[in-house]
Amino acid sequence: QLQLQESGPGLVKPSETLSLTCTVSGGSISSSSYYWGWIRQPPGKGLEWIGSIYYSGSTYYNPSLKSRVTISVDTSKNQFSLKLSSVTAADTAVYYCARHTPYRNWFDPWGQGTLVTVSS
Amino acid sequence: DIQMTQSPSSLSASVGDRVTITCQASQDISNYLNWYQQKPGKAPKLLIYDASNLETGVPSRFSGSGSGTDFTFTISSLQPEDIATYYCQQYDNLPLQLTFGGGTKVEIK
């Protein structure tokens, strides 16, 4: 059974770079044609897709965040990562990683999520 | 960019009631519309994919319909365990873009 787990600092200072990793277990991140995505949810608010990376390394980002986002994949560690630069308090959110499939773009499964707070 | 307008933002209904949530896309998205259930402190759970297909293991009281710009999600008989926030999500394949609706919080009256 495929499982995803987010990890990274829970507190980031304003103007710095948020860095998170999603570790995939129960399957290989590079063995099949999947997208690996990041979604976030500010406290008490709705869901926002941040971006996704194809198993081959192609990336796709939400236009509203594109200038600050980098998603990468490390197949040797079966992980993919998110970097969000120049963070502000508005980037405080629970960050989820999830898998989706080309032309069947629904997210399943999801990681449990990790709260990142931006504060000095 | 495609915008998704979900309504209502919240609703209160009695156990056994029929509950309906709508999602409207700013342009034609065919049937590329999914529905999720999110309970407090948990990750969203996929319920319906491609507008009307029930995910394996999801109770049949949940259903979805629609195509083009207007979509509906229905709980035929609300149960206490259905208390959650529900989200629609559209996708565009080329280029890849995914957008969520604003969510509907469902409570028991």
Side-chain angles (χ1 to χ4, degrees):
Chain A
Q1 180 182 359
L2 192 78
Q3 292 186 315
L4 290 78
Q5 178 70 59
E6 305 88 352
S7 60
L11 181 64
V12 180
K13 290 182 167 57
S15 80
E16 294 189 344
T17 296
L18 178 159
S19 296
L20 295 174
T21 296
C22 182
T23 300
V24 178
S25 59
S28 172
I29 202 169
S30 59
S31 65
S32 300
S33 302
Y34 291 115
Y35 289 113
W36 304 93
W38 289 96
I39 304 101
R40 71 178 183 178
Q41 184 172 37
K45 296 187 178 181
L47 299 162
E48 179 180 38
W49 173 65
I50 299 170
S52 299
I53 188 165
Y54 195 45
Y55 81 108
S56 62
S58 299
T59 52
Y60 306 85
Y61 300 132
N62 185 325
S64 68
L65 297 168
K66 186 175 182 177
S67 63
R68 299 194 291 132
V69 174
T70 302
I71 297 175
S72 59
V73 64
D74 186 338
T75 56
S76 67
K77 295 181 179 179
N78 224 33
Q79 296 174 335
F80 62 106
S81 299
L82 168 70
K83 291 188 185 299
L84 181 65
S85 64
S86 304
V87 298
T88 69
D91 295 309
T92 294
V94 174
Y95 286 76
Y96 296 99
C97 57
R99 185 186 74 175
H100 57 116
T101 305
Y103 299 95
R104 298 164 59 86
N105 288 299
W106 46 89
F107 295 105
D108 183 59
W110 295 63
Q112 65 183 30
T114 187
L115 174 63
V116 179
T117 300
V118 178
S119 175
S120 56
Chain B
D1 296 355
I2 299 173
Q3 308 301 317
M4 302 303 297
T5 302
Q6 188 174 338
S7 61
S9 57
S10 65
L11 66 88
S12 181
S14 300
V15 172
D17 281 355
R18 184 181 186 87
V19 168
T20 299
I21 298 168
T22 64
C23 207
Q24 185 172 58
S26 58
Q27 64 189 69
D28 189 337
I29 59 170
S30 184
N31 67 330
Y32 299 153
L33 193 285
N34 309 312
W35 292 96
Y36 300 85
Q37 175 192 66
Q38 186 180 33
K39 297 186 177 181
K42 300 293 186 182
K45 173 188 174 184
L46 177 69
L47 299 181
I48 303 283
Y49 62 90
D50 282 350
S52 61
N53 296 284
L54 194 67
E55 173 70 342
T56 301
V58 174
S60 59
R61 65 180 180 274
F62 297 101
S63 65
S65 65
S67 66
T69 61
D70 295 303
F71 300 85
T72 300
F73 173 81
T74 300
I75 307 174
S76 60
S77 177
L78 186 66
Q79 300 302 303
E81 60 267 31
D82 300 336
I83 300 313
T85 300
Y86 293 85
Y87 292 92
C88 63
Q89 173 245 318
Q90 73 83 26
Y91 64 93
D92 196 348
N93 291 308
L94 296 169
L96 182 66
Q97 288 293 313
L98 304 101
T99 310
F100 289 91
T104 297
K105 186 174 184 180
V106 174
E107 298 175 319
I108 295 285
K109 190 181 296 182

